[in-house]
Amino acid sequence: MPQQFGAFTASELYCPKCKQSQPVRERLLLVLPSGELHEYLCARCATSLGEREVTGPAVRAAAAQAGPAKKAARRLLR
Ligand SMILES: [Zn+2]
């Protein structure tokens, strides 16, 4: 069963390469009409641990026109 991190900002995620939870670095992956897609990288080995769609005040107005933007990216690579 996939884990979901949509409700909070992850500061640590399990890294399969390090075989333990690691602090993550957040990286801007790409900019979407509804927000920004951020990627979580293991702070030690830079393996991609997951991604998250971030909607902020600046993009909320545009997102309201484009429809529900609350669908955060919950696909996590493991
Ligand atoms: Zn790692």
Side-chain angles (χ1 to χ4, degrees):
M1 194 165 85
Q3 289 177 285
Q4 296 189 349
F5 295 97
F8 60 94
T9 302
S11 57
E12 268 193 14
L13 289 174
Y14 179 80
C15 175
K17 219 170 189 179
C18 300
K19 292 185 165 53
Q20 58 180 294
S21 288
Q22 292 291 352
V24 292
R25 285 184 311 183
E26 204 171 338
R27 185 170 76 98
L28 178 62
L29 200 59
L30 58 100
V31 178
L32 305 168
S34 58
E36 296 172 341
L37 191 61
H38 289 225
E39 184 179 35
Y40 289 119
L41 301 175
C42 173
R44 185 197 273 179
C45 70
T47 294
S48 176
L49 300 181
E51 6 185 283
R52 184 168 75 102
E53 187 179 320
V54 179
T55 55
V59 295
R60 205 160 282 166
Q65 298 172 351
K70 209 68 173 83
K71 276 185 186 168
R74 281 175 177 157
R75 186 171 58 88
L76 291 172
L77 308 172
R78 284 190 295 168

